[in-house]
Every structure is written in structure tokens, then in C-alpha cells.
Amino acid sequence: MVNCNDTIQLPDIRVNNRAVMNGKQGTKSVTWRSAMVGVAVSIVEYLARLQAHARNRHAIQMLDNNMLKDIGLTRADIDNELSKPFWTGLPPRG
């Protein structure tokens, strides 16, 4: 027996998961729950990036002068970077 609720395909009309789509593209309404989940995920991703950025700043602060010389930085470069607010210099979202 075929379950018609899963997928019905006709030449110009497709029905998937109870959303009717005419032609090539269709729109499915966004519920407030899915919108809130999207916002929550964005906030968690942003906080994770802030934490990773803080972790990297702390790690580079712990390097000694010889290690900094190996990567082409000086202690003054590090002090200049650490004097900036923590939220500056975040990598772009992506």
C-alpha cells in the first residue's frame, strides 16, 4: 500500500509534507516556533564565536617572546591587540 502523505508527483504539481507547490518553487509558511529556534541558534553561534575569540586572545597572550618571534609578532603587537575591546576583530559570520 502506498502512503500518499509522503510524496505525490504529478507533471506540474508536487505535494510534499502537506505543502502544495505549484511550478518550480513554492513557499512554506514559517511558524513562530521555527523563527524563535533560528534566533536561538544564531545567538548560540555568536556566543560560541565570542568564546573562541577570547580563547585565542588568551592563548596568544601566553606565548613567550621567542614563540612570538617565530610567528612574526612582537610583544608590543600583542599588547596592542589585547588593549582593544574583546568584540572587535571577530571573524565574519559564515
Side-chain angles (χ1 to χ4, degrees), residues 48-63 68 71 73 78 81-82 86 89-91:
R49 282 198 329 262
L50 279 178
Q51 185 180 19
H53 190 65
R55 190 179 322 116
N56 291 339
R57 289 169 60 102
H58 181 71
I60 204 165
Q61 183 180 12
M62 294 295 135
L63 296 177
L68 290 174
I71 60 173
L73 296 174
I78 300 303
E81 181 64 29
L82 294 176
F86 71 93
L90 280 176

Side-chain angles (χ1 to χ4, degrees), residues 1-86:
M1 185 168 167
V2 176
N3 185 355
C4 294
N5 290 331
D6 291 337
T7 302
I8 298 174
Q9 294 182 351
L10 299 173
D12 292 322
I13 300 173
R14 289 177 296 211
V15 179
N16 292 330
N17 296 330
R18 296 186 210 149
V20 177
M21 296 181 276
N22 292 324
K24 293 184 179 181
Q25 292 182 348
T27 58
K28 194 173 184 180
S29 63
V30 177
T31 64
W32 66 273
R33 287 182 185 167
S34 63
M36 297 313 287
V37 167
V39 168
V41 167
S42 295
I43 290 171
V44 168
E45 288 175 348
Y46 180 74
L47 292 175
R49 282 198 329 262
L50 279 178
Q51 185 180 19
H53 190 65
R55 190 179 322 116
N56 291 339
R57 289 169 60 102
H58 181 71
I60 204 165
Q61 183 180 12
M62 294 295 135
L63 296 177
D64 65 1
N65 289 334
N66 290 331
M67 290 181 183
L68 290 174
K69 185 179 176 184
D70 287 344
I71 60 173
L73 296 174
T74 63
R75 182 59 57 189
D77 295 334
I78 300 303
D79 292 339
N80 184 29
E81 181 64 29
L82 294 176
S83 67
K84 296 177 185 176
F86 71 93

